[in-house]
Amino acid sequence: MRVIDNRDDYLDAVRQVAAGTGPVAIDAERASGYRYSQRAYLIQLYRDGAGTFLFDPPAIGDFSELADVIRDEEWVLHAASQDLACLREVGLEPNRIFDTELGARLAGLPRVGLGAVVEELLGIKLAKEHSAADWSTRPLPESWLVYAALDVQLLVRLRAEVAALLVEAGKKELAEQEFDAVRTKEPKPVVSEPWRRLSGMHALRTPRSLAVARALWQARDEYAQEIDTASGRLLPDASIVAAAKALPRTRGELMKIKEFTGRASRTQLPRWLAAIEEGMAAEDLPPLRVPGDSIPPARSWSDRNPEADRRLRAAKAQITSLSDRVAIPVENVLTPELLRRVAWAPPQPITTESVGEALAGGGARPWQIDATAQLIADAFVEVDQSADTAQSDDS
C-alpha cells in the first residue's frame, strides 16, 4: 500500500473517486495517547470502481476537491462519532452517513466492534493489532497500511449486510434517525475549568492545593500543545495531584515525591516549580466545589429525593423491558442521563405529551419518543398514585 502525500497524486485520486460508484467508505486514524491534537494522521477511503486510497492529511492540507466530490454521497463509517470531528477539521463533511457500528447495535448484534461484525456477517477475520498505534509515525510501516486499508475495503459490503438486518427487523427508519443524529450532533461545549477533571482530585481538600493543581495543569497543557504530545505522557494526573497535596517548596522536596513521574517530570522541573510557586502565591483561590446543573448520582436519590428515586426505578424497569422486546441496547432506546433528568424533575402535569416534549428537549429522536414517552408517563403516574395512596392510609 502507498500513502498519498503530494498534491498531484491527491488530485489524481480525487478524479478516480469521482469516477467510482455507490457509497464512499471512509475512516481516519489519529494518534490518541501520543499527540495533544486529535487531528487525523491518515484518512482511508474506498469506493467501488475507484479502489482504496490512503491520504496523509498533514502533507496534503487542503481536501476541498475531495469534499466537493463526495459531500453528497452516502458515507459509510464504523463508529462515526469517533471520526467525524477530525474529518471536519480537514474540510470533509458528509450530508448522509451509514454507521455500521451503530446499525449493528440497533439490529441487535451481540458484539459491534468492526472485527466482530465483519466476522459474523462477512465471515472474514480481521487483525486489530495496530488499532492503538501512533499514526503520526513517519514513514508508516507497511503492515499498518495494510491494516488501515482493510478497515475501509470491507465497509461497503458490511453496510449492505447491516442494512438488510435493519430492514428485516423493521428498524430502517429509526436507524436513519440515529445516523442523522450522530452526523448533526453538536460538539460538546468547552469546559470552563478543565483542570477539575484531573483524576484523583477528591484527594485535594484545600483551596491552596486546588490552586497549585490548576497551575500545574495549565503549565502541562501549554507545554503539551507546544510540542504536540499527549498531556498524560509528559506528567500524569497522579503526579499533579501528589504535588498539589504535598505543596513542595523546593526542587529537592518536589523530586522526593515518588508519584511525581512522567517523561517530562525531571526534564521540565523549572516549569513545574514555577507553576507550583504560581499556585502558592495565587490570590484567586478556587472554591472546593462549584455549582452546576448536574443532578446528583442516582445512588443518593433514595435519601435526597425518594419520589424521584421511585420514578426512576419504575421507568428504568419499563425501558429495560422494552429494550429486551425490540432487541436494542437500553442505552440506545433512551440515554440513561436523559431518563435521570426527566425522573428528577418531571414535567407537570405528567402526561404522554409533556414527557414527550421533555424528551425532545433533551435530544431524544422521534422514534425514541414514540417508543418510550407513554411508558415513562405511565410509570411516573403509577408511582405518584401509589405515594398518594400510602399517605392516605397513614392519615
Side-chain angles (χ1 to χ4, degrees):
M1 299 300 301
R2 185 175 66 86
V3 177
I4 297 170
D5 59 3
N6 63 79
R7 295 296 297 176
D8 288 343
D9 288 348
Y10 159 73
L11 292 173
D12 182 57
V14 171
R15 287 189 287 270
Q16 294 180 60
V17 173
T21 59
V24 174
I26 194 164
D27 188 24
E29 305 293 349
R30 299 176 301 281
S32 301
Y34 296 93
R35 296 290 182 175
Y36 182 88
S37 70
Q38 289 299 307
R39 70 183 301 181
Y41 282 95
L42 187 72
I43 293 175
Q44 310 100 281
L45 186 149
Y46 170 85
R47 193 178 193 190
D48 286 345
T52 304
F53 305 90
L54 304 180
F55 298 105
D56 184 342
I60 293 171
D62 179 16
F63 279 82
S64 57
E65 298 87 357
L66 179 61
D68 290 341
V69 166
I70 68 175
R71 182 180 296 111
D72 293 326
E73 305 295 340
E74 181 186 77
W75 293 17
V76 185
L77 306 96
H78 193 83
S81 61
Q82 297 180 17
D83 293 329
L84 286 176
C86 68
L87 292 171
R88 289 189 181 107
E89 192 175 338
V90 297
L92 296 174
E93 177 91 34
N95 288 332
R96 285 185 298 144
I97 69 168
F98 189 105
D99 187 333
T100 51
E101 189 265 354
L102 180 53
R105 285 184 185 277
L106 299 171
L109 269 62
R111 297 183 302 149
V112 296
L114 181 59
V117 179
V118 165
E119 186 170 359
E120 178 165 348
L121 298 184
L122 301 181
I124 298 172
K125 193 172 182 63
L126 288 178
K128 300 297 292 182
E129 64 268 23
H130 302 306
S131 58
D134 178 4
W135 290 91
S136 66
T137 300
R138 292 296 184 272
L140 287 165
E142 179 68 19
S143 61
W144 295 18
L145 299 179
V146 172
Y147 157 85
L150 284 173
D151 270 4
V152 290
Q153 287 172 349
L154 299 172
L155 276 184
V156 173
R157 288 173 56 191
L158 188 64
R159 179 234 182 271
E161 296 294 330
V162 174
L165 292 178
L166 292 169
V167 170
E168 182 181 354
K171 298 175 179 176
K172 179 176 182 291
E173 183 179 343
L174 69 87
E176 289 172 349
Q177 291 181 29
E178 290 298 296
F179 298 159
D180 206 49
V182 170
R183 183 184 66 83
T184 58
K185 186 176 181 180
E186 294 289 334
K188 290 184 178 180
V190 177
V191 179
S192 60
E193 294 183 310
W195 59 271
R196 288 188 180 272
R197 294 189 171 184
L198 285 164
S199 299
M201 279 287 287
H202 61 277
L204 303 182
R205 306 294 176 82
T206 69
R208 182 60 62 195
S209 288
L210 293 185
V212 170
R214 178 181 61 188
L216 279 169
W217 184 93
Q218 291 170 343
R220 182 184 70 173
D221 191 64
E222 290 170 2
Y223 185 48
Q225 287 190 59
E226 179 185 325
I227 65 173
D228 193 16
T229 298
S231 299
R233 295 175 71 84
L234 300 175
L235 193 68
D237 285 4
S239 298
I240 291 179
V241 171
K245 188 175 181 180
L247 300 178
R249 293 185 175 274
T250 66
R251 178 190 183 100
E253 289 178 358
L254 179 59
M255 294 183 67
K256 286 180 180 178
I257 299 174
K258 64 179 181 179
E259 298 91 348
F260 203 77
T261 59
R263 64 165 60 176
S265 60
R266 298 297 183 262
T267 59
Q268 294 295 313
L269 265 179
R271 184 186 300 269
W272 313 134
L273 284 168
I276 292 170
E277 290 176 5
E278 178 186 333
M280 294 290 282
E283 296 181 359
D284 61 328
L285 296 179
L288 292 176
R289 299 286 182 270
V290 292
D293 63 351
S294 60
I295 56 178
R299 62 179 178 272
S300 69
W301 288 20
S302 58
D303 293 326
R304 300 183 61 172
N305 192 339
E307 294 82 4
D309 183 57
R310 288 192 289 269
R311 284 193 295 266
L312 180 61
R313 291 177 184 275
K316 280 179 66 174
Q318 293 296 323
I319 300 299
T320 300
S321 178
L322 173 63
S323 168
D324 292 338
R325 292 197 303 274
V326 299
I328 295 177
V330 67
E331 65 271 16
N332 292 106
V333 173
L334 193 68
T335 61
E337 172 65 17
L338 179 53
L339 181 59
R340 285 193 292 268
R341 286 188 173 276
V342 176
W344 182 260
Q348 297 298 328
I350 296 174
T351 65
T352 299
E353 291 73 21
S354 66
V355 169
E357 290 174 1
L359 295 177
R365 268 69 75 192
W367 78 267
Q368 294 176 315
I369 296 169
D370 292 343
T372 66
Q374 183 172 345
L375 293 176
I376 295 169
D378 290 347
F380 286 2
V381 169
E382 183 177 348
V383 166
D384 288 351
Q385 289 176 343
S386 297
D388 291 341
T389 301
Q391 288 178 359
S392 299
D393 291 344
D394 290 341
S395 62

